C-alpha cells in the first residue's frame, strides 16, 4: 500500500471568481483506498476544490496530481476521476440507464458491457426498475442516486463525491454507506467526500479535512479530529457547544465524555430538548452553560430541574479562540 | 484570446468568408459603382418612405409579438392536441410566394372577397391589409422562435414565481419572458427586418401608395439604374436595420435550460387563451392558403379538376417539382452546414458581433446585391453555384437564429459532467451538445428550407428556364391573362404547399420537439 | 474543326420568353450547338443588367428589348448590328430602326381592357376619351402599372405623352391618380388582384390588345372548335391610350459566337418560331403572313398612331420626369 | 387556537404520472401554528404532495383546503402558500436580493418594503453580503438558503418546505432550526416540512406523518411516532434496527431504551463502530442480534468482546411485520 502513489495530491490550490477568493491555498493528499471527508461550512470552497480536481475549473495556482501523475494541465477526461455534482447534472436527453452507462460507453466499453456495469451501479444505489425512465420525472432522491451511480459506474480510481446523499432518507443512507464502504474497499479507490453529515464522515472516512473560508484548518484521522478539534472554530463547527470563555483568546472545551451526570454537585437545568435516543439538557455550571445529551437510561439522574454533574478535569482542553 | 474563443472564430470563419464573398463584396461593388450621394435623404419624399417603412414594420412586429409571444408561451407550458402539427404547418406561409399570398388575402379580404362580402368591411387598399399580409408571413417565425425560447424555461422556475404569488401573466412577463428573451427577440427582429425590407407585399397590396424604401431601391436600381441615389438609400436602410439588430443583440441575454418533456394539458383560462390565440394565428396564417387551395379547384362554374389536370398533364411539372426539391435540399445542406458551424463558432467565441453578422443577409436589399453579383462575378451569372449560394445566403440566418440560442441555453454543467465521466471534448460534443441542440437545428433547417422553397433566390440571381421551380412556374402562369392560368397557378401553389408539408414532416422526424 | 458540342450560344431573354423546346432542339442539332437561355427579368431589368455587364457580357444574343428601350440600349452601345435577311418579310412600320441593332420578332399593343360583365351589370357607360378616364368617376375604376417598374406601364406613359405632350401628360396623370386610379408595380398584380374579373375593385385594367383573346383561350372548357360569341373582356381603345411595342432580337457586343448568334437571330424570324409565338406569348409575329390561331379574332388591332420623335427618342428621361412630376409630387 | 381552521387540510389526494402512482390517497391536516414533518423514503411521493398543495400539480382526485378555503381549483398564486423547491428553482436572471424580494413584490409591496423584507429573510438564513450576487455563482448551500429565504419572505400562512436544509452543514442547520422555530411560533404559520433528517423533524415538528409508496402509514405526535412506531416498516424506516422475527407476520421491537447495558448476562459483541458521541455495538442476543449505542461513559461496561446486557421486557413491543 505505502509504495502506491496517493490517489490524489493537491498542493497550494488557489482559485478566485472575480472578487471572491473561493479557495486560498489548499494542499491535501488522499491515498489509494482511502476516503477523506471534506467538511466545512456552506460556501467555504468545498465544491470548488472538487471542481479543480476534476479539471472543470483551472486553479489560479497550485497543482493537482492524480495517482502520482501531475494532471494540472490535463482536460477532465484525461484525469480518470468520477465526480458526483452537488446539483446532479443528469443528462436530460438520456434515460436513467443511459445516464449511468454513459461513463463506461465514452471510455470505450461496448453497449452490453456498459449497461451491465450501469445496472450493477443502479442496484448498489437501490434503484431497480427505473432504467428506462427519463430523468426529468425522477424525485430528488432518485435523481441523486442516479448521479451517484453514474459516477460509480465509471470505475474511476478517484471519486469526488459532492454531498452525494444529501437528499436521501437516513435508512437509505445507512444502507448506501455500507454499500459504498465495501465498494471502496474492494476497488481500492481514493475518495474525496464532501458532506455535511458527520455520521457519514465517521462511517466512511478514515481522515477528515476541515475547511474554512477557502483554507484547510485541520486535517487528521476522523476520530482524532472529532475528539480533539484543534481550535474553537473547528470544535464549534463540529457541533461542540461546550466552549466556554477562558481568558482572552482561549476557550475551555468540555467534551461530552468529560461530563459525568449523576455524580457531584447539583446544578440547575436551564433547558431540555428531546432528541434521538435521549434528551439534551443544558446545565448552568459555574464555568458557564454546559450542554449534554442524556441517554434514556441516564435521564433517570434528572431530579426535576436539577442534575448532579461533575466534570472530569483531565478531559477538558484549552483551545485557541479563532472565531470571528 | 482563449483557445475556445479562437476555435469559435475559426468555426465561424467559413460563414464569415461566405458573407464576405456573397454579401460584403458585391454590396461594396454596387456602392462603388454608383457612389453614395446622401443628398437623396434631404428629399421629403424619401423621408416619408422611410417613415412609412419603419411604421409598418414596427406595427407588424408589435402586433405579431402581441399575438405570437403569448401563444408561444402557452404552447410551451401546455400539452395540446395537434400542437406539433400546428407548429409544423406554421411554416407554410413562409414557403408561399408573395403573389400567391396576395391572391389568397384578396380572395378573402379583397373588394369581392368572401369575408368582405360577409362582413361588409372592405380592407383592400388600406394599411390594415398590408399589416395582415406582413403578419401572414411573419407570425410563424415569431411563434416558432419564441416557442423554442420558452420551451427552455424550466417549469419549476415559472412554478416558483406562481407559488410566490405572481399571477400567470406576471410570472410569464417577469420570469419566463426574460429567460426566453433570446428566442423571442430573434423572432421580433426577424419580423421587423422581413417587414421592413419586403417589397412585393406592400406594392401588391397597396400599390405605389404603400411603397417601402425597398421599393424605391428596387426601382432606382433595377429599372432606372440610378445607382448613386439607390446606394444612398441602401446605406440608410442598412443603418436603421443595423440599429434594430444591434438593439436585439444587446438585449438578448437569457437563461439556461433544456426543453422538458411532459407538460400538463391546458384547461380553463389557459385552454381558452390557447384556443383563442391559436385560432387567430391559424386564421391569419392559414386562411389565405386555404383560399388559394380552393381557387385551385373552383372555376367560374363551381368545382373543377381541370386546373389540376392541366398542371398534371403539363410535361414541365415534374421538372418544376424536381427543381424545387433539388434547390431546396442543396440550399438546406449549405445553410445547415454553414449555419451550424457558424452558430457553434459564435457560441464558443462568445462574440455578439458574430450575431450581428449573421443577420446581415436580412438587412441588405436583395436588388442591390443582385447588381453587385453581376458586377463582381459576371462569369458566374446564371450558374448553379451562384444560385445555390444566393439561396444559402437567405437561408442561413434562420439556422443560426434557431441554433445559437439553443446552444447558449445548454447548461454548462452537462458538458462538464460528460467530460468528468471521461468524454473527450469531441465525444462530449457529440453525445451531449449535439442531441440537446439538434431539435433547434432541425427547426432552423425547416425555416431555412421554407425560405428556399418560396421564390426568393430568383430575385438575387439570373435564372435559367431549365431551373424553373414551382414558384417560377406559377409566376409564369400569372404573367398571362385568363382563368385557367390563375387556376393552374393556384394548383401549383397547392402542390408547393403539399411538398413543403411533406418535407417538414420528414425534417421534424415526425415527432418530438418542434422548435 | 472544333467538336460541335463545345459551342454554346447564350441567349438572354425577358422572363416571359417561351418557345417550343422542339424548335430549339432542331436549331441545336442543325447548328451543332447548345443554346443556353438566361432569364434576365422584366425587359427593363434585362436592359439594365446588360448595361451593367457590358464590359464582361454575360450573353451572346438578347431577345426581348423593345422600341421603348432601344434608345438606351443604343446609347449604352451594348449591341452590335446585324440585319437578318428575314427582315424583308417584316413590314417596314414594324422595323426597329435602320441600324440593325434589333431585329423585330414580334409586336403587340399595350391597351386598356375592361370587364364586360361589370359594365353591363352596373350599367355604367364606357369612357370615351382619356379625358373622361382621368375624371374621378372613371379613374377610380382604373388600374394601370407603374411606368417606372413595368414595360406596359412605360408604354402607356409614352402613349399619354405622345397624346398630351409632356406637361399635359403630367397633369393627366396627377388628375387620374387624384381621382383614384391605382398604380401597381407589375402587370400580374394589376390583372390578378385589382381587376374586377379576378376579384378586384377596378373594371378597367392596363393590359394588351390580345388579352381578350387569351381570356377566351384560357377560359374554362375552351375548345378551338366552339369559339364563344364574345370574350369576357374587351379592349377600350381610347384615343391616345394605346402604344405599339416592338420586341426584337439582337447580338451583344463582345460575343465570341457571332456567326451562331446571327443564325439564332434568323431562327427567331423563321416561320416555325413565328407561328409558335402568338399563343405562347400572346403577341403578334412580325413576319407577314404567319398563320394565326383563330382565337385571335377576339384581339382587335387598334388604329395605328404615329409616335412623335421626341417621345420615342428618350423614354428614360420621361420615366424620370414622371417619377418626380407625378409619383413623388404631393 | 382551536376555532381557527387548519392551515392546510388535504383529503383523499391522488396523483399519477403516466403509469407511476405517486400519491395514492393522502389525507392530512396541518393546524395553524403547527409544523408537521412529512417523512418517507426516496420516491414515496412527498414532493408530489407539496406540489399538489402549492397548486403546481393537479390532483387526480381529492381536495386541498388552505386556511379553511377549498383551493383545489385555484391557481398557485391564489393559495397563499410559500414553497421551497427541492431543487431550489431560483430565478437565474435576478440577483439574490431580487429573488427573495420577488414574492413581496408580486404581492404588491413597494420596492423598498419588499427589499427590507428580503434582507430580513436573508439575515435569518445567515446570508449577509450576497444581496447583489447573481444566483448562478452561488454554492449549493447558499442557493438553498436563498430558496428558503425567498419562501419565508412571502409571509405566507402556510409554508411547504421540501428538504430545505439538505445541503447545509449541521451547525448552520442547528442555528436555522432555532431561527425557524421562533419564526414559525411568531407568525403562527402552518408548516409542512419534508425532511430526511430526524433531528430536524424532532426539533421543528409537533407532529410527524410517515409516508410509504404514496400513502400515509402513520401520523402522530413526533415523539409518539418515534417512540412507538406502528409497524415494523415504520420502525425500520425511522432507523430502528432491533426488529427481531417473532413468529409469522410479527416482529419483536426492542427500543434502545429497553436495553440495560452493564447488567444481566454476558453476551458476545459481534460488531462495534465508533459514532458521534459514543460507540455502536451489536450483541449476539438470544433473540437475535441487538444493536445499541453506548455513550462514552457507558462504553466502560465493555469487557473486550463481551457486554453485560439485559432487556427490560416491559419496553419491548410486538409490531406487525409489513415489510415487503
Ligand atoms: N413528472 C413526473 N413524471 C413521472 N414520474 C414522476 C414525476 N414526478 C414524480 N414522479 C414519480 O413519482 C414518484 C414520487 O415522486 P416524488 O418526487 O413525490 O418523491 P419524493 O417522495 O419527493 O422523493 P425524494 O425524497 O426522493 O425527493 C417517484 O417515483 C417519481 O419518480
Ligand atoms: N462561478 C462562480 N462565480 C462566482 N462565485 C462563485 C462561483 N462558484 C463559487 N463561487 C463562490 O465561491 C465560494 C465557494 O463556493 P463553493 O461552491 O466551492 O462552496 P461549497 O463549500 O461547496 O459550499 P456549499 O456547502 O454551500 O455547497 C462561494 O462563496 C461561492 O459563492
Ligand atoms: C412582409 C414579408 N413578405 C414576404 C415574406 C416572405 N419571405 C420569407 S423569407 C423572405 C426573404 C428571404 O430573405 C421573404 C421575402 C416575409 N417573410 N415577409
Ligand atoms: Mg458545494
Ligand atoms: Mg422529493
Amino acid at each position: 500500500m505505502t509504495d502506491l502513489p496517493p490517489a490524489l495530491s493537491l498542493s497550494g490550490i488557489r482559485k478566485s471568481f472575480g472578487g471572491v477568493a473561493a479557495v486560498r491555498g489548499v494542499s491535501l493528499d488522499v491515498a489509494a483506498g482511502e476516503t477523506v471527508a471534506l467538511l466545512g461550512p456552506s460556501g467555504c470552497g468545498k465544491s470548488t476544490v472538487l471542481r479543480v480536481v476534476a479539471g472543470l475549473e483551472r486553479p489560479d495556482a497550485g497543482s493537482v496530481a492524480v495517482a502520482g501523475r501531475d494532471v494540472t494541465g490535463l482536460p477532465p477526461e484525461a484525469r480518470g476521476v468520477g465526480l458526483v455534482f452537488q446539483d446532479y447534472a443528469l443528462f436530460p436527453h438520456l434515460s436513467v440507464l443511459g445516464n449511468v452507462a454513459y461513463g463506461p460507453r465514452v471510455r470505450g466499453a461496448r453497449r452490453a458491457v456498459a449497461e451491465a456495469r450501469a445496472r450493477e451501479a443502479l442496484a448498489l444505489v437501490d434503484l431497480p426498475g427505473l432504467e428506462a425512465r427519463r430523468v426529468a420525472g425522477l424525485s430528488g432522491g432518485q435523481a441523486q442516486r442516479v448521479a451517484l451511480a453514474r459516477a460509480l459506474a465509471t470505475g474511476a480510481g478517484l471519486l469526488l463525491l459532492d454531498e452525494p446523499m444529501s437528499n436521501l432518507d437516513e435508512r437509505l443512507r445507512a444502507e448506501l454507506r455500507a454499500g459504498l464502504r465495501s465498494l471502496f474497499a474492494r476497488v481500492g479507490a481514493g475518495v474525496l467526500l464532501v458532506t455535511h453529515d458527520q455520521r457519514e464522515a465517521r462511517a466512511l472516512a478514515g481522515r477528515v479535512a476541515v475547511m474554512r473560508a477557502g483554507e484547510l484548518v485541520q486535517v487528521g484521522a476522523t476520530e482524532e479530529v472529532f475528539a480533539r478539534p484543534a481550535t474553537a472554530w473547528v470544535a464549534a463547527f463540529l457541533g461542540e457547544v461546550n466552549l466556554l470563555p477562558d481568558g482572552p483568546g482561549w476557550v475551555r472545551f468540555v467534551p461530552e465524555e468529560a461530563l459525568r451526570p449523576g455524580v457531584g454537585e447539583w446544578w440547575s437545568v436551564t433547558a431540555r430538548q428531546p432528541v434521538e435516543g435521549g434528551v439534551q439538557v443544558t446545565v448552568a455550571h459555574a464555568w458557564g452553560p454546559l450542554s449534554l445529551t442524556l441517554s434514556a437510561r441516564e435521564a433517570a439522574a434528572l431530579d426535576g430541574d436539577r442534575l448532579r454533574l461533575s466534570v472530569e478535569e483531565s478531559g477538558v482542553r484549552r483551545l485557541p479562540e479563532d472565531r470571528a | 484570446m482563449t483557445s475556445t474563443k479562437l476555435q469559435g472564430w475559426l468555426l465561424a470563419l467559413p460563414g464569415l468568408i461566405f458573407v464576405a464573398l456573397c454579401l460584403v463584396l458585391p454590396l461594396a461593388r454596387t456602392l462603388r459603382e454608383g457612389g453614395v450621394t446622401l443628398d437623396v435623404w434631404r428629399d421629403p419624399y424619401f423621408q416619408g418612405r422611410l417613415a412609412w417603412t419603419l411604421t409598418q414594420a414596427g406595427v407588424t412586429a408589435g402586433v405579431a409579438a402581441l399575438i405570437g409571444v403569448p401563444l408561444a408561451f402557452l404552447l410551451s407550458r401546455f400539452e395540446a392536441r395537434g400542437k406539433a402539427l400546428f407548429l409544423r404547418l406554421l411554416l407554410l406561409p413562409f414557403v408561399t410566394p408573395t403573389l400567391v399570398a396576395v391572391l389568397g388575402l384578396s380572395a378573402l379580404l379583397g373588394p369581392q372577397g368572401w369575408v368582405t362580402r360577409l362582413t361588409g368591411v372592405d380592407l383592400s387598399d388600406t394599411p390594415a391589409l398590408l399589416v395582415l399580409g406582413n403578419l401572414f408571413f411573419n407570425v410563424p417565425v415569431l411563434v416558432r422562435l419564441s416557442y423554442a425560447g420558452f420551451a427552455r424555461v424550466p417549469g419549476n422556475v415559472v412554478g416558483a414565481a406562481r407559488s410566490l404569488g405572481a399571477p400567470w401573466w406576471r410570472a410569464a412577463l417577469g420570469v419566463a419572458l426574460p429567460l426566453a428573451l433570446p428566442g423571442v427577440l430573434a423572432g421580433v427582429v426577424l419580423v421587423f427586418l422581413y417587414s421592413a425590407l419586403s417589397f412585393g407585399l406592400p406594392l401588391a397590396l397597396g400599390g405605389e401608395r404603400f411603397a417601402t424604401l425597398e421599393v424605391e431601391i428596387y426601382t432606382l436600381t433595377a429599372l432606372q439604374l440610378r445607382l448613386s441615389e439607390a446606394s444612398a438609400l441602401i446605406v440608410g436602410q442598412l443603418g436603421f436595420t443595423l440599429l434594430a439588430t444591434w438593439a436585439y443583440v444587446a438585449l438578448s441575454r437569457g437563461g439556461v435550460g433544456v426543453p422538458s418533456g411532459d407538460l400538463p394539458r391546458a384547461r380553463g383560462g389557459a385552454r381558452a387563451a390557447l384556443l383563442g390565440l391559436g385560432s387567430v394565428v391559424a386564421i391569419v396564417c392559414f386562411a389565405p392558403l386555404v383560399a388559394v387551395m380552393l381557387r385551385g379547384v373552383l372555376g367560374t362554374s363551381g368545382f373543377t379538376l381541370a386546373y389540376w389536370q392541366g398542371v398534371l398533364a403539363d410535361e414541365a411539372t415534374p421538372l418544376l417539382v424536381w427543381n424545387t426539391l433539388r434547390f431546396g435540399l442543396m440550399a438546406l445542406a449549405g445553410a445547415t452546414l454553414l449555419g451550424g458551424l457558424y452558430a457553434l463558432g459564435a457560441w464558443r467565441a462568445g462574440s455578439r458581433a458574430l450575431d450581428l453578422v449573421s443577420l446581415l443577409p436580412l438587412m441588405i436589399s436583395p436588388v442591390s446585391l443582385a447588381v453587385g453579383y453581376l458586377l463582381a462575378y459576371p462569369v458566374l451569372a446564371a450558374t448553379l453555384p451562384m444560385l445555390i449560394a444566393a439561396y444559402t445566403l437567405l437561408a442561413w440566418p434562420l439556422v443560426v437564429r434557431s441554433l445559437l440560442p439553443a446552444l447558449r441555453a445548454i447548461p454548462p454543467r452537462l458538458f462538464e459532467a460528460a467530460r468528468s465521466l471521461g468524454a473527450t471534448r469531441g465525444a462530449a460534443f457529440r453525445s451531449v451538445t449535439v442531441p440537446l441542440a439538434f431539435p433547434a437545428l432541425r427547426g432552423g433547417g425547416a425555416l431555412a428550407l421554407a425560405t428556399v422553397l418560396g421564390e426568393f433566390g430568383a430575385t438575387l440571381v439570373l435564372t435559367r428556364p431549365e431551373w424553373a421551380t414551382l414558384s417560377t412556374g406559377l409566376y409564369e402562369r400569372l404573367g398571362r391573362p385568363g382563368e385557367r392560368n390563375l387556376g393552374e397557378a393556384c394548383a401549383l401553389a397547392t402542390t408547393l404547399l403539399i411538398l413543403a408539408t411533406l418535407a417538414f414532416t420528414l425534417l421534424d422526424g415526425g415527432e418530438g420537439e418542434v422548435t | 474543326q472544333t467538336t460541335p458540342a463545345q459551342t454554346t450560344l447564350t441567349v438572354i431573354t425577358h422572363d416571359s420568353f417561351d418557345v417550343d423546346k422542339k424548335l430549339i432542339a432542331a436549331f441545336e442539332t442543325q447548328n451543332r450547338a447548345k443554346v443556353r437561355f438566361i432569364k434576365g427579368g422584366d425587359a427593363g431589368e434585362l436592359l439594365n443588367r446588360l448595361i451593367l455587364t457590358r464590359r464582361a457580357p454575360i450573353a451572346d444574343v438578347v431577345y426581348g428589348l423593345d422600341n421603348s428601350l432601344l434608345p438606351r440600349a443604343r446609347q449604352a452601345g451594348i449591341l452590335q448590328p446585324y440585319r437578318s435577311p428575314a427582315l424583308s418579310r417584316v413590314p417596314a412600320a414594324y422595323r426597329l430602326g435602320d441600324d440593325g441593332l434589333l431585329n423585330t420578332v414580334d409586336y403587340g399593343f399595350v391597351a386598356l381592357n375592361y370587364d364586360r360583365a361589370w359594365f353591363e351589370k352596373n350599367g355604367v357607360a364606357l369612357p370615351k376619351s382619356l379625358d373622361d378616364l382621368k375624371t374621378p368617376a372613371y379613374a377610380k375604376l382604373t388600374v394601370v402599372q407603374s411606368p417606372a417598374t413595368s414595360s406596359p406601364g412605360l408604354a402607356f406613359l409614352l402613349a399619354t405623352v405622345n397624346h398630351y405632350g409632356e406637361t399635359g401628360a403630367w397633369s393627366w396623370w396627377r388628375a387620374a391618380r387624384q381621382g383614384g386610379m391605382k398604380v401597381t408595380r407589375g402587370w400580374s398584380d394589376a390583372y390578378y388582384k385589382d381587376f374586377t374579373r379576378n376579384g378586384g375593385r377596378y373594371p378597367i385594367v392596363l393590359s394588351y390588345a390580345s388579352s381578350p383573346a387569351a381570356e377566351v383561350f384560357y377560359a374554362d372548357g375552351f375548345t378551338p372548335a366552339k369559339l364563344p360569341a364574345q370574350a369576357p373582356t374587351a379592349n377600350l381603345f381610347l384615343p391616345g391610350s394605346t402604344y405599339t411595342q416592338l420586341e426584337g432580337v439582337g447580338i451583344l457586343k463582345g460575343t465570341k459566337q457571332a456567326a451562331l448568334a446571327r443564325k439564332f437571330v434568323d431562327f427567331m424570324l423563321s416561320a416555325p418560331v413565328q407561328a409558335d409565338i402568338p399563343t405562347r406569348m400572346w403577341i403578334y409575329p412580325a413576319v407577314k403572313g404567319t398563320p394565326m390561331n383563330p382565337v385571335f379574332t377576339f384581339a382587335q388591332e387598334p388604329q395605328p398612331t404615329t409616335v412623335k420623335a421626341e417621345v420615342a427618342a428618350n423614354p428614360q428621361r420621361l420615366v424620370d420626369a414622371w417619377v418626380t412630376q407625378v409619383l413623388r409630387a404631393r
Side-chain angles (χ1 to χ4, degrees), chain C residues 172-195:
Chain C
W172 183 90
W173 276 88
R174 280 196 289 260
R177 266 169 55 96
Q178 202 80 59
M181 180 173 77
K182 183 165 181 180
V183 180
T184 68
R185 183 174 85 91
W187 178 88
S188 304
D189 301 345
Y191 202 86
Y192 280 112
K193 178 177 161 285
D194 292 316
F195 191 29

Side-chain angles (χ1 to χ4, degrees), chain B residues 427-460:
Chain B
F429 176 74
R430 276 193 307 279
S431 56
V432 175
T433 312
V434 169
L436 289 174
F438 191 65
L441 182 65
R442 265 185 354 203
L447 274 175
L449 183 64
T451 308
V452 176
L453 290 180
E455 66 197 303
F456 318 112
T459 55
L460 272 188

Side-chain angles (χ1 to χ4, degrees), chain C residues 113-117 120 191 197 209-219 227-235 295-300:
Chain C
N113 290 185
Y114 66 93
D115 178 358
R116 274 187 204 280
E120 272 160 33
Y191 202 86
R197 184 164 157 67
S210 58
S211 299
E215 281 284 352
V216 170
F217 186 82
Y218 289 116
L227 293 181
Q230 59 174 21
T233 63
N235 284 312
V295 82
F296 266 80
T297 51
F298 295 98
Q300 311 91 334

